């Protein structure tokens, strides 16, 4: 019964900042790679950033320098700091994680959150 829940989205003016959180809960043994994606209406879902359990990060080229991904393994949580927001950043932001869970043995699966909306006004 692993679940990912995003929070922290909202409305901000251009140039503002938000900090998104994604907390995993359930029968978790270990969380490996965690990612943030986003999707605007009528557009493809795109990878924003990814972070390994050891803290190695990668970002979409267009976003590098404005967004920062981090994680707290003790809290099973990944964060995305959004700075210098632009109207084109408006989208639903989703977290994704590779999680090793227990129950009927151990299984590695991909889990997705339900998304949190970020709206940036000009």
């Amino acid at each position: 019964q692993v679940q990912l829940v995003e929070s922290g989205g909202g409305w901000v003016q251009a140039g503002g900042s938000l900090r998104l959180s994604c907390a995993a809960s359930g029968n978790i043994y270990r969380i490996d790679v965690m990612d943030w994606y986003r999707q605007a209406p009528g557009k493809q879902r795109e990878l924003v950033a990814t972070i390994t359990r050891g803290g190695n990060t990668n970002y979409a080229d267009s976003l590098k320098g404005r967004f920062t991904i981090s994680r707290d393994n003790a809290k099973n949580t990944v964060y995305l700091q959004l700075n210098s927001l632009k109207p084109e950043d408006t989208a639903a932001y989703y977290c994704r994680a590779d999680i090793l869970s227990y129950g009927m043995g151990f299984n590695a699966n991909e889990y997705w959150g339900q998304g949190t909306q970020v709206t940036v006004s000009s």
Side-chain angles (χ1 to χ4, degrees):
Q1 299 183 5
V2 171
Q3 185 178 18
L4 301 181
V5 179
E6 301 99 333
S7 63
W11 174 90
V12 294
Q13 293 186 354
S17 298
L18 286 173
R19 183 175 176 82
L20 309 183
S21 298
C22 174
S25 62
N27 53 328
I28 298 168
Y29 181 78
R30 187 183 71 243
I31 304 177
D32 296 317
V33 172
M34 303 185 82
D35 313 293
W36 283 98
Y37 287 77
R38 70 181 185 183
Q39 187 169 28
K43 296 184 179 180
Q44 299 290 320
R45 181 171 294 188
E46 63 175 337
L47 177 64
V48 173
T50 184
I51 184 168
T52 68
R53 181 172 179 81
N56 292 326
T57 60
N58 281 289
Y59 299 89
D61 290 339
S62 62
L63 303 176
K64 190 174 183 179
R66 295 195 298 120
F67 294 0
T68 303
I69 189 171
S70 61
R71 65 190 288 169
D72 185 336
N73 291 335
K75 295 182 178 180
N76 289 333
T77 300
V78 62
Y79 306 93
L80 185 68
Q81 179 68 42
L82 312 176
N83 295 325
S84 302
L85 284 164
K86 306 173 182 179
E88 51 263 46
D89 294 321
T90 295
Y93 285 72
Y94 300 87
C95 64
R96 189 209 68 85
D98 296 321
I99 298 176
L100 182 65
S101 61
Y102 57 88
M104 299 296 291
F106 290 83
N107 290 286
N109 293 105
E110 179 184 76
Y111 295 90
W112 288 83
Q114 293 299 307
T116 184
Q117 180 67 36
V118 171
T119 302
V120 185
S121 62
S122 60

Short mmCIF file of all heavy atoms in Angstrom, two decimals, residues 8-67:
data_model
loop_
_atom_site.label_atom_id
_atom_site.label_comp_id
_atom_site.label_asym_id
_atom_site.label_seq_id
_atom_site.Cartn_x
_atom_site.Cartn_y
_atom_site.Cartn_z
N GLY A 8 2.44 21.53 -1.63
CA GLY A 8 3.22 22.74 -1.79
C GLY A 8 2.90 23.56 -3.02
O GLY A 8 3.42 24.67 -3.17
N GLY A 9 2.08 23.04 -3.90
CA GLY A 9 1.71 23.80 -5.08
C GLY A 9 0.81 24.97 -4.71
O GLY A 9 0.31 25.08 -3.60
N GLY A 10 0.61 25.85 -5.67
CA GLY A 10 -0.23 27.00 -5.43
C GLY A 10 -0.06 28.04 -6.51
O GLY A 10 0.46 27.76 -7.59
N TRP A 11 -0.52 29.25 -6.21
CA TRP A 11 -0.45 30.36 -7.14
C TRP A 11 0.63 31.34 -6.70
O TRP A 11 0.72 31.70 -5.52
CB TRP A 11 -1.82 31.06 -7.17
CG TRP A 11 -1.84 32.31 -7.99
CD1 TRP A 11 -2.12 32.43 -9.31
CD2 TRP A 11 -1.55 33.64 -7.51
NE1 TRP A 11 -2.04 33.74 -9.70
CE2 TRP A 11 -1.70 34.51 -8.61
CE3 TRP A 11 -1.21 34.16 -6.27
CZ2 TRP A 11 -1.50 35.88 -8.50
CZ3 TRP A 11 -1.00 35.54 -6.16
CH2 TRP A 11 -1.15 36.37 -7.27
N VAL A 12 1.45 31.75 -7.66
CA VAL A 12 2.48 32.74 -7.40
C VAL A 12 2.62 33.67 -8.60
O VAL A 12 2.27 33.31 -9.72
CB VAL A 12 3.86 32.11 -7.11
CG1 VAL A 12 3.83 31.33 -5.81
CG2 VAL A 12 4.29 31.22 -8.26
N GLN A 13 3.13 34.85 -8.35
CA GLN A 13 3.44 35.77 -9.43
C GLN A 13 4.77 35.39 -10.07
O GLN A 13 5.61 34.75 -9.45
CB GLN A 13 3.49 37.21 -8.92
CG GLN A 13 2.15 37.75 -8.47
CD GLN A 13 2.22 39.22 -8.11
OE1 GLN A 13 3.29 39.82 -8.10
NE2 GLN A 13 1.08 39.81 -7.82
N ALA A 14 4.94 35.79 -11.31
CA ALA A 14 6.20 35.54 -12.00
C ALA A 14 7.36 36.08 -11.17
O ALA A 14 7.29 37.18 -10.61
CB ALA A 14 6.19 36.19 -13.37
N GLY A 15 8.41 35.28 -11.09
CA GLY A 15 9.56 35.65 -10.29
C GLY A 15 9.53 35.10 -8.88
O GLY A 15 10.54 35.15 -8.17
N GLY A 16 8.40 34.56 -8.49
CA GLY A 16 8.25 34.02 -7.16
C GLY A 16 8.80 32.62 -7.02
O GLY A 16 9.35 32.04 -7.97
N SER A 17 8.63 32.05 -5.83
CA SER A 17 9.18 30.74 -5.53
C SER A 17 8.15 29.86 -4.84
O SER A 17 7.22 30.34 -4.18
CB SER A 17 10.40 30.86 -4.61
OG SER A 17 11.44 31.59 -5.23
N LEU A 18 8.32 28.57 -5.00
CA LEU A 18 7.52 27.57 -4.31
C LEU A 18 8.43 26.40 -3.95
O LEU A 18 9.44 26.17 -4.62
CB LEU A 18 6.37 27.05 -5.16
CG LEU A 18 5.16 27.95 -5.39
CD1 LEU A 18 4.23 27.30 -6.41
CD2 LEU A 18 4.42 28.19 -4.09
N ARG A 19 8.05 25.69 -2.91
CA ARG A 19 8.77 24.48 -2.53
C ARG A 19 7.78 23.32 -2.50
O ARG A 19 6.87 23.31 -1.67
CB ARG A 19 9.44 24.62 -1.17
CG ARG A 19 10.29 23.41 -0.75
CD ARG A 19 11.01 23.69 0.55
NE ARG A 19 11.75 22.53 1.06
CZ ARG A 19 12.96 22.16 0.66
NH1 ARG A 19 13.59 22.87 -0.27
NH2 ARG A 19 13.55 21.11 1.20
N LEU A 20 7.95 22.38 -3.40
CA LEU A 20 7.08 21.22 -3.48
C LEU A 20 7.66 20.07 -2.67
O LEU A 20 8.87 19.90 -2.61
CB LEU A 20 6.90 20.78 -4.93
CG LEU A 20 6.48 21.85 -5.95
CD1 LEU A 20 6.28 21.21 -7.32
CD2 LEU A 20 5.23 22.58 -5.49
N SER A 21 6.78 19.30 -2.07
CA SER A 21 7.19 18.13 -1.31
C SER A 21 6.43 16.91 -1.82
O SER A 21 5.29 17.02 -2.28
CB SER A 21 6.90 18.31 0.19
OG SER A 21 7.61 19.40 0.72
N CYS A 22 7.06 15.77 -1.71
CA CYS A 22 6.42 14.51 -2.06
C CYS A 22 6.84 13.49 -1.02
O CYS A 22 8.02 13.12 -0.96
CB CYS A 22 6.82 14.06 -3.46
SG CYS A 22 6.21 12.42 -3.90
N ALA A 23 5.89 13.05 -0.23
CA ALA A 23 6.16 12.10 0.84
C ALA A 23 5.64 10.72 0.48
O ALA A 23 4.48 10.57 0.08
CB ALA A 23 5.53 12.58 2.14
N ALA A 24 6.48 9.73 0.63
CA ALA A 24 6.09 8.35 0.39
C ALA A 24 5.75 7.68 1.72
O ALA A 24 6.40 7.92 2.74
CB ALA A 24 7.22 7.58 -0.30
N SER A 25 4.74 6.85 1.69
CA SER A 25 4.34 6.13 2.89
C SER A 25 3.90 4.72 2.51
O SER A 25 3.65 4.44 1.34
CB SER A 25 3.20 6.86 3.62
OG SER A 25 2.05 6.95 2.79
N GLY A 26 3.80 3.87 3.51
CA GLY A 26 3.39 2.50 3.28
C GLY A 26 4.47 1.51 3.65
O GLY A 26 5.38 1.82 4.41
N ASN A 27 4.35 0.33 3.09
CA ASN A 27 5.28 -0.75 3.42
C ASN A 27 6.58 -0.62 2.62
O ASN A 27 6.90 -1.45 1.77
CB ASN A 27 4.63 -2.11 3.18
CG ASN A 27 4.03 -2.25 1.78
OD1 ASN A 27 3.56 -1.30 1.18
ND2 ASN A 27 4.05 -3.47 1.26
N ILE A 28 7.32 0.42 2.92
CA ILE A 28 8.53 0.76 2.19
C ILE A 28 9.76 0.18 2.86
O ILE A 28 9.96 0.35 4.06
CB ILE A 28 8.69 2.29 2.08
CG1 ILE A 28 7.52 2.88 1.30
CG2 ILE A 28 10.02 2.64 1.44
CD1 ILE A 28 7.45 4.39 1.38
N TYR A 29 10.57 -0.49 2.07
CA TYR A 29 11.86 -0.95 2.55
C TYR A 29 12.96 0.04 2.16
O TYR A 29 13.79 0.41 2.98
CB TYR A 29 12.19 -2.34 2.02
CG TYR A 29 13.51 -2.87 2.53
CD1 TYR A 29 13.61 -3.37 3.82
CD2 TYR A 29 14.65 -2.83 1.73
CE1 TYR A 29 14.82 -3.83 4.30
CE2 TYR A 29 15.86 -3.30 2.21
CZ TYR A 29 15.95 -3.80 3.49
OH TYR A 29 17.15 -4.26 3.97
N ARG A 30 12.94 0.46 0.90
CA ARG A 30 13.94 1.40 0.42
C ARG A 30 13.43 2.14 -0.80
O ARG A 30 12.79 1.55 -1.66
CB ARG A 30 15.25 0.67 0.07
CG ARG A 30 16.40 1.60 -0.27
CD ARG A 30 17.65 0.82 -0.69
NE ARG A 30 17.49 0.19 -1.99
CZ ARG A 30 17.51 -1.12 -2.20
NH1 ARG A 30 17.71 -1.95 -1.19
NH2 ARG A 30 17.35 -1.59 -3.43
N ILE A 31 13.72 3.42 -0.89
CA ILE A 31 13.39 4.22 -2.06
C ILE A 31 14.67 4.51 -2.82
O ILE A 31 15.62 5.03 -2.25
CB ILE A 31 12.70 5.54 -1.69
CG1 ILE A 31 11.45 5.27 -0.86
CG2 ILE A 31 12.35 6.33 -2.95
CD1 ILE A 31 10.73 6.52 -0.39
N ASP A 32 14.66 4.20 -4.10
CA ASP A 32 15.84 4.44 -4.92
C ASP A 32 15.69 5.79 -5.63
O ASP A 32 15.59 6.81 -4.97
CB ASP A 32 16.07 3.27 -5.86
CG ASP A 32 16.38 1.98 -5.10
OD1 ASP A 32 17.17 2.04 -4.14
OD2 ASP A 32 15.83 0.91 -5.44
N VAL A 33 15.67 5.79 -6.95
CA VAL A 33 15.57 7.05 -7.68
C VAL A 33 14.21 7.71 -7.47
O VAL A 33 13.18 7.05 -7.46
CB VAL A 33 15.81 6.83 -9.19
CG1 VAL A 33 15.52 8.09 -9.98
CG2 VAL A 33 17.25 6.40 -9.42
N MET A 34 14.23 9.02 -7.29
CA MET A 34 13.01 9.81 -7.20
C MET A 34 13.09 10.92 -8.24
O MET A 34 14.17 11.47 -8.49
CB MET A 34 12.82 10.41 -5.81
CG MET A 34 12.78 9.36 -4.71
SD MET A 34 12.40 10.05 -3.07
CE MET A 34 10.61 10.13 -3.16
N ASP A 35 11.97 11.25 -8.84
CA ASP A 35 11.92 12.24 -9.90
C ASP A 35 10.76 13.21 -9.71
O ASP A 35 9.80 12.92 -8.99
CB ASP A 35 11.72 11.58 -11.28
CG ASP A 35 12.62 10.40 -11.53
OD1 ASP A 35 13.84 10.60 -11.65
OD2 ASP A 35 12.09 9.28 -11.64
N TRP A 36 10.87 14.34 -10.39
CA TRP A 36 9.75 15.25 -10.55
C TRP A 36 9.47 15.41 -12.03
O TRP A 36 10.40 15.60 -12.82
CB TRP A 36 10.04 16.63 -9.94
CG TRP A 36 9.92 16.67 -8.45
CD1 TRP A 36 10.93 16.57 -7.55
CD2 TRP A 36 8.72 16.84 -7.69
NE1 TRP A 36 10.44 16.67 -6.27
CE2 TRP A 36 9.08 16.83 -6.33
CE3 TRP A 36 7.37 17.00 -8.03
CZ2 TRP A 36 8.14 16.98 -5.31
CZ3 TRP A 36 6.45 17.13 -7.01
CH2 TRP A 36 6.83 17.12 -5.68
N TYR A 37 8.20 15.32 -12.39
CA TYR A 37 7.73 15.57 -13.74
C TYR A 37 6.70 16.69 -13.69
O TYR A 37 6.18 17.03 -12.62
CB TYR A 37 7.06 14.33 -14.34
CG TYR A 37 8.00 13.21 -14.72
CD1 TYR A 37 8.56 12.38 -13.76
CD2 TYR A 37 8.31 12.97 -16.06
CE1 TYR A 37 9.40 11.34 -14.12
CE2 TYR A 37 9.15 11.94 -16.42
CZ TYR A 37 9.69 11.13 -15.45
OH TYR A 37 10.53 10.09 -15.81
N ARG A 38 6.41 17.25 -14.85
CA ARG A 38 5.33 18.22 -14.92
C ARG A 38 4.59 18.07 -16.24
O ARG A 38 5.15 17.59 -17.23
CB ARG A 38 5.84 19.65 -14.76
CG ARG A 38 6.66 20.18 -15.92
CD ARG A 38 7.12 21.60 -15.64
NE ARG A 38 7.82 22.19 -16.77
CZ ARG A 38 8.37 23.39 -16.76
NH1 ARG A 38 8.29 24.15 -15.66
NH2 ARG A 38 8.99 23.85 -17.83
N GLN A 39 3.34 18.49 -16.25
CA GLN A 39 2.53 18.41 -17.45
C GLN A 39 1.54 19.56 -17.47
O GLN A 39 0.74 19.72 -16.56
CB GLN A 39 1.79 17.08 -17.53
CG GLN A 39 1.05 16.87 -18.84
CD GLN A 39 0.55 15.46 -19.00
OE1 GLN A 39 0.28 14.77 -18.02
NE2 GLN A 39 0.43 15.02 -20.24
N ALA A 40 1.61 20.34 -18.53
CA ALA A 40 0.66 21.42 -18.76
C ALA A 40 -0.42 20.92 -19.70
O ALA A 40 -0.18 20.01 -20.50
CB ALA A 40 1.37 22.64 -19.35
N PRO A 41 -1.61 21.49 -19.64
CA PRO A 41 -2.69 21.07 -20.53
C PRO A 41 -2.28 21.13 -22.00
O PRO A 41 -1.73 22.14 -22.45
CB PRO A 41 -3.81 22.06 -20.23
CG PRO A 41 -3.56 22.48 -18.81
CD PRO A 41 -2.06 22.54 -18.71
N GLY A 42 -2.52 20.06 -22.72
CA GLY A 42 -2.19 20.02 -24.13
C GLY A 42 -0.73 19.78 -24.45
O GLY A 42 -0.35 19.79 -25.62
N LYS A 43 0.07 19.56 -23.43
CA LYS A 43 1.50 19.34 -23.63
C LYS A 43 1.92 17.98 -23.10
O LYS A 43 1.22 17.36 -22.31
CB LYS A 43 2.32 20.43 -22.96
CG LYS A 43 2.09 21.83 -23.53
CD LYS A 43 3.01 22.84 -22.87
CE LYS A 43 2.81 24.22 -23.46
NZ LYS A 43 3.70 25.22 -22.82
N GLN A 44 3.06 17.52 -23.56
CA GLN A 44 3.61 16.25 -23.11
C GLN A 44 4.13 16.36 -21.68
O GLN A 44 4.59 17.42 -21.26
CB GLN A 44 4.75 15.81 -24.03
CG GLN A 44 4.35 15.59 -25.48
CD GLN A 44 3.48 14.37 -25.65
OE1 GLN A 44 3.71 13.34 -25.02
NE2 GLN A 44 2.48 14.48 -26.50
N ARG A 45 4.04 15.27 -20.95
CA ARG A 45 4.65 15.23 -19.64
C ARG A 45 6.17 15.23 -19.81
O ARG A 45 6.71 14.49 -20.64
CB ARG A 45 4.20 13.98 -18.87
CG ARG A 45 4.79 13.88 -17.47
CD ARG A 45 4.15 12.76 -16.68
NE ARG A 45 2.74 13.02 -16.42
CZ ARG A 45 1.99 12.28 -15.63
NH1 ARG A 45 2.51 11.23 -15.01
NH2 ARG A 45 0.71 12.59 -15.46
N GLU A 46 6.84 16.06 -19.05
CA GLU A 46 8.28 16.17 -19.18
C GLU A 46 8.98 15.96 -17.84
O GLU A 46 8.46 16.32 -16.78
CB GLU A 46 8.67 17.54 -19.76
CG GLU A 46 8.29 18.72 -18.88
CD GLU A 46 8.79 20.05 -19.42
OE1 GLU A 46 9.76 20.05 -20.22
OE2 GLU A 46 8.21 21.09 -19.06
N LEU A 47 10.15 15.40 -17.92
CA LEU A 47 10.98 15.20 -16.73
C LEU A 47 11.59 16.53 -16.33
O LEU A 47 12.21 17.21 -17.13
CB LEU A 47 12.06 14.17 -17.02
CG LEU A 47 13.06 13.90 -15.89
CD1 LEU A 47 12.36 13.28 -14.68
CD2 LEU A 47 14.18 12.98 -16.38
N VAL A 48 11.43 16.87 -15.07
CA VAL A 48 11.98 18.11 -14.53
C VAL A 48 13.34 17.86 -13.88
O VAL A 48 14.32 18.56 -14.16
CB VAL A 48 11.02 18.74 -13.50
CG1 VAL A 48 11.67 19.94 -12.81
CG2 VAL A 48 9.72 19.15 -14.19
N ALA A 49 13.39 16.88 -13.00
CA ALA A 49 14.62 16.60 -12.27
C ALA A 49 14.58 15.20 -11.70
O ALA A 49 13.50 14.63 -11.48
CB ALA A 49 14.84 17.62 -11.14
N THR A 50 15.75 14.65 -11.44
CA THR A 50 15.84 13.33 -10.85
C THR A 50 16.95 13.32 -9.81
O THR A 50 17.91 14.08 -9.92
CB THR A 50 16.10 12.26 -11.93
OG1 THR A 50 16.09 10.95 -11.34
CG2 THR A 50 17.43 12.49 -12.62
N ILE A 51 16.80 12.47 -8.81
CA ILE A 51 17.81 12.37 -7.76
C ILE A 51 17.93 10.93 -7.31
O ILE A 51 16.93 10.24 -7.10
CB ILE A 51 17.48 13.31 -6.58
CG1 ILE A 51 18.58 13.27 -5.52
CG2 ILE A 51 16.12 12.96 -5.97
CD1 ILE A 51 18.45 14.38 -4.48
N THR A 52 19.16 10.45 -7.18
CA THR A 52 19.40 9.10 -6.71
C THR A 52 19.36 9.07 -5.19
O THR A 52 19.35 10.11 -4.52
CB THR A 52 20.76 8.58 -7.18
OG1 THR A 52 21.81 9.31 -6.53
CG2 THR A 52 20.90 8.72 -8.69
N ARG A 53 19.36 7.88 -4.63
CA ARG A 53 19.35 7.75 -3.19
C ARG A 53 20.59 8.39 -2.57
O ARG A 53 20.53 8.93 -1.47
CB ARG A 53 19.26 6.27 -2.79
CG ARG A 53 19.22 6.06 -1.29
CD ARG A 53 18.95 4.61 -0.92
NE ARG A 53 18.94 4.44 0.53
CZ ARG A 53 17.90 4.72 1.31
NH1 ARG A 53 16.77 5.17 0.78
NH2 ARG A 53 17.99 4.55 2.62
N GLY A 54 21.70 8.33 -3.30
CA GLY A 54 22.93 8.91 -2.82
C GLY A 54 23.04 10.41 -3.03
O GLY A 54 24.03 11.02 -2.60
N GLY A 55 22.06 11.01 -3.70
CA GLY A 55 22.04 12.45 -3.84
C GLY A 55 22.53 13.00 -5.17
O GLY A 55 22.63 14.22 -5.34
N ASN A 56 22.84 12.15 -6.13
CA ASN A 56 23.22 12.63 -7.45
C ASN A 56 21.99 13.17 -8.18
O ASN A 56 20.94 12.52 -8.18
CB ASN A 56 23.87 11.52 -8.28
CG ASN A 56 25.22 11.12 -7.73
OD1 ASN A 56 25.97 11.94 -7.21
ND2 ASN A 56 25.55 9.84 -7.86
N THR A 57 22.12 14.32 -8.80
CA THR A 57 20.98 14.98 -9.42
C THR A 57 21.19 15.23 -10.90
O THR A 57 22.32 15.35 -11.38
CB THR A 57 20.68 16.32 -8.75
OG1 THR A 57 21.82 17.18 -8.87
CG2 THR A 57 20.37 16.12 -7.27
N ASN A 58 20.08 15.33 -11.62
CA ASN A 58 20.07 15.73 -13.01
C ASN A 58 18.82 16.56 -13.25
O ASN A 58 17.79 16.33 -12.63
CB ASN A 58 20.07 14.52 -13.95
CG ASN A 58 21.43 13.90 -14.10
OD1 ASN A 58 22.32 14.46 -14.73
ND2 ASN A 58 21.61 12.71 -13.52
N TYR A 59 18.94 17.52 -14.17
CA TYR A 59 17.86 18.44 -14.45
C TYR A 59 17.62 18.58 -15.93
O TYR A 59 18.53 18.37 -16.75
CB TYR A 59 18.17 19.83 -13.89
CG TYR A 59 18.37 19.89 -12.40
CD1 TYR A 59 19.62 19.69 -11.84
CD2 TYR A 59 17.31 20.15 -11.56
CE1 TYR A 59 19.82 19.73 -10.47
CE2 TYR A 59 17.49 20.20 -10.18
CZ TYR A 59 18.74 19.99 -9.65
OH TYR A 59 18.92 20.04 -8.29
N ALA A 60 16.40 18.94 -16.28
CA ALA A 60 16.13 19.33 -17.65
C ALA A 60 16.98 20.55 -17.97
O ALA A 60 17.10 21.46 -17.14
CB ALA A 60 14.65 19.65 -17.83
N ASP A 61 17.57 20.56 -19.16
CA ASP A 61 18.49 21.64 -19.52
C ASP A 61 17.85 23.02 -19.38
O ASP A 61 18.50 23.98 -18.94
CB ASP A 61 18.99 21.45 -20.94
CG ASP A 61 19.94 20.28 -21.07
OD1 ASP A 61 20.52 19.85 -20.06
OD2 ASP A 61 20.11 19.78 -22.21
N SER A 62 16.59 23.13 -19.75
CA SER A 62 15.92 24.42 -19.72
C SER A 62 15.62 24.91 -18.32
O SER A 62 15.33 26.09 -18.12
CB SER A 62 14.63 24.36 -20.54
OG SER A 62 13.72 23.42 -19.98
N LEU A 63 15.67 24.02 -17.35
CA LEU A 63 15.30 24.36 -15.97
C LEU A 63 16.49 24.44 -15.02
O LEU A 63 16.36 24.97 -13.91
CB LEU A 63 14.30 23.35 -15.43
CG LEU A 63 13.01 23.18 -16.24
CD1 LEU A 63 12.15 22.09 -15.64
CD2 LEU A 63 12.25 24.50 -16.30
N LYS A 64 17.60 23.90 -15.44
CA LYS A 64 18.77 23.89 -14.58
C LYS A 64 19.16 25.31 -14.20
O LYS A 64 19.26 26.19 -15.04
CB LYS A 64 19.93 23.20 -15.29
CG LYS A 64 21.12 22.93 -14.40
CD LYS A 64 22.18 22.11 -15.13
CE LYS A 64 23.34 21.76 -14.22
NZ LYS A 64 24.35 20.93 -14.93
N GLY A 65 19.35 25.52 -12.91
CA GLY A 65 19.70 26.83 -12.41
C GLY A 65 18.54 27.51 -11.70
O GLY A 65 18.77 28.40 -10.87
N ARG A 66 17.32 27.14 -12.03
CA ARG A 66 16.14 27.70 -11.39
C ARG A 66 15.49 26.72 -10.42
O ARG A 66 14.90 27.13 -9.42
CB ARG A 66 15.10 28.14 -12.42
CG ARG A 66 15.54 29.29 -13.30
CD ARG A 66 14.36 29.90 -14.04
NE ARG A 66 13.72 28.94 -14.95
CZ ARG A 66 12.45 28.58 -14.86
NH1 ARG A 66 11.66 29.08 -13.91
NH2 ARG A 66 11.94 27.72 -15.73
N PHE A 67 15.56 25.43 -10.73
CA PHE A 67 14.93 24.41 -9.89
C PHE A 67 16.00 23.57 -9.19
O PHE A 67 17.06 23.31 -9.75
CB PHE A 67 14.05 23.48 -10.73
CG PHE A 67 12.84 24.13 -11.35
CD1 PHE A 67 12.56 25.47 -11.16
CD2 PHE A 67 11.96 23.38 -12.12
CE1 PHE A 67 11.44 26.07 -11.73
CE2 PHE A 67 10.84 23.96 -12.68
CZ PHE A 67 10.58 25.30 -12.49
#
